[in-house]
Amino acid sequence: MKHDHFYLTTPIYYVNDAPHIGHAYTTIIADTMARYARLKGCNTFFLTGTDEHGQKIEESAKARGKNAKEWADENSEKFKTLWDDFGISYDKFIRTTDEEHKLGVQAAFQKMWDKGDIYKGEFEGNYCVSCETFFTNTQLVNDEFCPDCGKPTSVLKEENYFFRLSKYEKQLIDWYSQNEECILPKSKKNEVVKFVEGGLRDLSITRTSFEWGIKLPDNIGDDKHVIYVWLDALLNYVTALGYGTDEKNMEYWPANLQIVGKDILKFHAIYWPAFLLSLDLPLPKHIAAHGWWTRDGEKMSKSKGNVVNPKEIADAYGLENFRYFLLREVPFGQDGDFSRRALIDRINSDLANDLGNLLSRTIGMSDKYFGLNIELKDLYTYHKEDMAKIDEITACLEPLLYGMQTHRYLEEIWKMLGVANKAIDTVAPWNKMKEGKEAEAMALIALCVNVLARAALLLSPIMPNKMNEVASAIGFEINTQNFEKLIYEKSPLASSKLSKVTALFPRIEEIIEEAPKQVEEAKKEEKKYVSIDHFFETELKVGTVLEAENAPKSSKLLILKVDLGDGDIRQIVAGIRESYTAQSLIGTQVCVVANLKPAKIMGVISEGMLLAAKDANGLTLIRPETPKQSGSKIG
Ligand code: MSP
């Protein structure tokens, strides 16, 4: 499957949160697909960015005493910096606060309005701020809680503008049925189709209860409203190409692939195509929904305090190893539990053993027997069947990747490595050399070189730097021309001059402190233990109390200003007044849980928690034995 244009997108990330492994997962899959498309020679455009408007962002900024734009700038930069650190090959990083985006969204709103797809009406519903979504009474859990994230909803009554979603019901159903793979995986598609067949209600697409959003176009003349954040956000996929402003990149539309998490599939598979139909734009070719990374079976999220920091993992275990793990470990579309143990096992068995050893054995043998010069002339004489197997595997790979079966794609490549590894053991070239059968030993190495060359090309979208090293060790280059020759035409490499390299995939000998028996028992006893990973997710720091005062309206609470170093000064509300006066705390040190979600206590924001011990004699703060620098880590 060759595309001239290949446009692919990630969701744009909310800026109320720092990036975590879930965000990295979406972005790394997209980066892999973009690199594959480029390697094939497609004219590729890869878009990512940040979603910056809406009540959720407005509120999280307020909780920190910042204005929304400042807060958005700060967090958007965190995403961009991480993607740059990770070498994500995006062509554009869009922010929904960009001027062109705002103009594009207003142009789209205007077009929908002119077409009669937008009307004004009254709306009352149960609103979840966290998901920025309305739910019907029957959808709520226990009459109050959001069915998606479990947080309490509130009743919102507003005069709103509505989008005629119901008008597009039939067209959507036709699209689903005429385009087998428009939504991947198929199981997810079935859920979407069922939902739409159940009937669509018009969608409220403006809000008046907050201000942080894009205003309606001037000539609609209603400046009380801002545009619903999901309409604003979804349109990024076309405003990034210049929709409504400078449309020169609109030739990339429709997108070939839009990757999203399963939690936001409804927005992408129902609302988004309906908006596009209203704008008379063609629909995307594929929308692919992946599952969630969980910790102990729960979705990772900052509010649950169980997030895995992708930068920390990449720094500790190698970025490309981490990329491989993410794509290999869990079938696309399914949830997967993250553990360091599983990551290390993958690195050691797949990368160090199967791939790394194949490379070092190939180089070692070619050095010892043939001075690193390998000729391929007898390859088919001795390894015709092996090459046929490898060709067969090569042919099945692209459909697997385009079907988003990344784990299967990698599994098949590993079968290819298996053919070479097995052949080394069967042929035993060291014996052939002793028996004077040099041609057979040479043919065996030629087989290994060919397997490594194909693997290097096919794996380079996932591990670009490592695969460049593999390629140069076996004397060729990763480029479109070689991809065409070796992968599409399945031609063997001509002769090869190998070179020595240091081990590309060293084993990781880290001992993860999880005695299997204990883990089993802990599971049985309903999670009696927490893992070391989990423990370290709690950031404990030494803080110095700068100010302290009694909280109004409370006899138990004190409000402290605590210095956590590097200019990080927190307001912490602590229930310790029965044991400490405000004055006695100033200048003393305390131990702080630094990454708790800020919360309001008796109307005052608290940005951390103090550690204390309590018994029948009262409460005592836990403090360092001797003074430590503010911000020193505990643990
Ligand atoms: N801003 C919206 C998307 C708008 S797109 C027009 C949004 N942002 S998000 O930051 O909350 O999530 C972005 C992506 O990260 C989603 O695809 C989501 O599924 C993914 N992940 C967030 N947590 C995740 C995991 N724990 N695991 C895997 N991916 C998950 O939704």
Side-chain angles (χ1 to χ4, degrees), residues 11-14 20 22-23 51 230 237 261 263-264 290-293:
I12 46 172
Y13 303 105
Y14 282 133
H20 62 64
H23 306 129
D51 185 356
W230 270 102
Y237 301 129
D263 48 327
I264 56 173
H290 64 71
W292 284 338
W293 282 97

Side-chain angles (χ1 to χ4, degrees), residues 217-233:
D218 281 347
N219 59 341
I220 295 180
D222 200 341
D223 61 6
K224 287 200 302 291
H225 292 255
V226 291
I227 295 174
Y228 174 44
V229 64
W230 270 102
L231 174 57
D232 161 352

